[in-house]
Amino acid sequence: MSTIGNRLRAARAARRLTLDALASTVGVTKGYLSKVENDRASASVAVLVRWCDALEIPMGSLFDDVPHGDVVRAGEYPPIALGGHAQSEYLLTPPGEHRVQVIHGRIERGGGSGDESYELPAEVGFVLVLTGRLILTLDERTVQLDDGDAITFDPRRRHSFRAEVDTTVLWVLTPSLPFRHDRTRIETTP
């Protein structure tokens, strides 16, 4: 399985961008980009969103080698990485599912999306806190979610999150983040 860093480096090389040029566009240092490309650091979600935008690749393409099928067995959830720190994420829906994307997340105390807020290309976002405490910031509003709490929000609004204690969440996005290998979306892209 290809790492996110490898995929980002390959996408940058395909666009013939230098680290300097990309760093300027993304708003970070070239040293930071290099560390992420070499899997020595992980990017915040906001940086990863800008990075994918700059490379003109869908975020879903960073984990498009997840096996296809409509059954995802317990204990076999494919790991994905949408950025952030001190968290593990697992895809619960098949990659070819366009209507909805469900992600199981484990966030360590103090972990989350990073300090900078971000937007995602989906119409509806939903998060259910299975255990722990999640602090979700939507624009200027901050919401504390404890065990069993849920919120539905517009992921196109600027948002960020962090865990105050070890936290387990269920994220739902609709429609799902686009995938590069998805023939339907490729054919409809100009």
Side-chain angles (χ1 to χ4, degrees):
M1 182 189 300
S2 216
T3 66
I4 297 240
N6 286 338
R7 289 170 190 232
L8 290 168
R9 184 175 38 259
R12 179 178 57 80
R15 298 202 58 75
R16 298 181 184 196
L17 288 172
T18 65
L19 281 173
D20 282 326
L22 184 59
S24 174
T25 302
V26 175
V28 297
T29 67
K30 77 176 188 177
Y32 176 72
L33 293 181
S34 178
K35 285 181 181 179
V36 173
E37 283 187 355
N38 290 297
D39 295 312
R40 294 190 323 262
S42 62
S44 71
V45 178
V47 167
L48 198 55
V49 167
R50 289 196 313 269
W51 199 333
C52 288
D53 285 347
L55 295 174
E56 298 178 3
I57 61 172
M59 282 186 68
S61 72
L62 298 178
F63 47 88
D64 69 357
D65 62 350
V66 172
H68 291 269
D70 55 359
V71 176
V72 182
R73 301 278 180 206
E76 298 177 7
Y77 302 149
I80 59 172
L82 291 176
H85 65 282
Q87 65 177 341
S88 303
E89 298 167 308
Y90 303 90
L91 189 61
L92 300 183
T93 46
E97 176 56 64
H98 307 242
R99 299 163 295 178
V100 65
Q101 188 167 54
V102 181
I103 299 167
H104 182 266
R106 295 183 187 127
I107 311 163
E108 296 173 23
R109 179 181 181 185
S113 62
D115 295 333
E116 190 177 352
S117 60
Y118 62 96
E119 302 163 358
L120 289 175
E123 293 178 22
V124 179
F126 171 87
V127 63
L128 167 66
V129 175
L130 300 170
T131 62
R133 175 173 294 142
L134 187 74
I135 304 300
L136 180 66
T137 303
L138 300 162
D139 294 324
E140 301 298 318
R141 178 179 171 214
T142 300
V143 179
Q144 176 180 308
L145 301 168
D146 293 307
D147 293 0
D149 291 345
I151 188 170
T152 302
F153 64 98
D154 182 347
R156 296 170 295 195
R157 289 177 47 201
R158 300 205 53 81
H159 61 283
S160 63
F161 64 91
R162 68 178 163 76
E164 287 202 338
V165 298
D166 289 350
T167 302
T168 304
V169 297
L170 192 66
W171 296 100
V172 179
L173 296 169
T174 184
S176 66
L177 297 176
F179 288 86
R180 182 179 59 226
H181 72 291
D182 177 352
R183 289 194 176 116
T184 304
R185 293 194 186 199
I186 288 173
E187 290 173 2
T188 60
T189 303

